[in-house]
């Protein structure tokens, strides 16, 4: 799956935290902004309540269920800046992508 496909799928599945802006920063692959304020998912960078930094490869493993979010966090593969509670809700976001 490309990042563009991911963003489109997230938009179709309303994969955001209501009222919050969560940015997933894939480094050289760019970002996905889960905008629960504007109810949209874009590839635009900007201010967010929470920023999650993860490599594209590790994200693919998370999305496929091959890597647990807490394990990735403990191993330093996933870094969270800002409001941690929004990051905890990411599991629900990932679940929406599998359906």
């Amino acid at each position: 799956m490309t990042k563009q496909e991911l963003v489109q799928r997230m938009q179709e599945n309303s994969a955001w935290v209501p009222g919050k802006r969560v940015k997933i920063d894939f480094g050289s692959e760019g970002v996905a902004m889960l905008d629960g304020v504007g109810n949209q998912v874009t590839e635009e960078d900007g201010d967010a309540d929470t920023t999650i930094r993860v490599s594209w490869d590790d994200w693919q493993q998370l999305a496929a269920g091959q890597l647990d979010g807490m394990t990735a966090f403990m191993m330093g593969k996933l870094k969270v800046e800002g409001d941690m509670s929004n990051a905890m809700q990411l599991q629900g976001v990932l679940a929406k992508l599998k359906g």
Side-chain angles (χ1 to χ4, degrees), residues 35-54:
D35 186 351
V37 177
N39 293 338
Q40 63 181 352
V41 180
T42 68
E43 292 184 61
E44 294 176 19
D45 203 346
D47 292 332
D49 298 296
T50 305
T51 299
I52 297 166
R53 297 187 190 283
V54 61

Side-chain angles (χ1 to χ4, degrees), residues 17-98:
V17 179
K20 301 291 183 183
R21 289 171 53 94
V22 179
K23 177 169 58 176
I24 305 173
D25 185 338
F26 301 112
S28 61
E29 296 290 328
V31 304
M33 179 67 77
L34 286 56
D35 186 351
V37 177
N39 293 338
Q40 63 181 352
V41 180
T42 68
E43 292 184 61
E44 294 176 19
D45 203 346
D47 292 332
D49 298 296
T50 305
T51 299
I52 297 166
R53 297 187 190 283
V54 61
S55 74
W56 180 249
D57 288 342
D58 288 337
W59 172 263
Q60 296 282 54
Q61 289 183 31
L62 283 166
Q66 298 167 339
L67 179 63
D68 177 67
M70 191 55 71
T71 302
F73 181 77
M74 295 301 207
M75 293 172 67
K77 292 183 173 197
L78 186 145
K79 295 180 174 59
V80 178
E81 298 167 7
D83 189 338
M84 180 68 83
S85 66
N86 294 330
M88 300 304 284
Q89 294 181 55
L90 186 62
Q91 292 295 108
V93 169
L94 291 175
K96 288 184 179 185
L97 298 179
K98 290 178 186 159

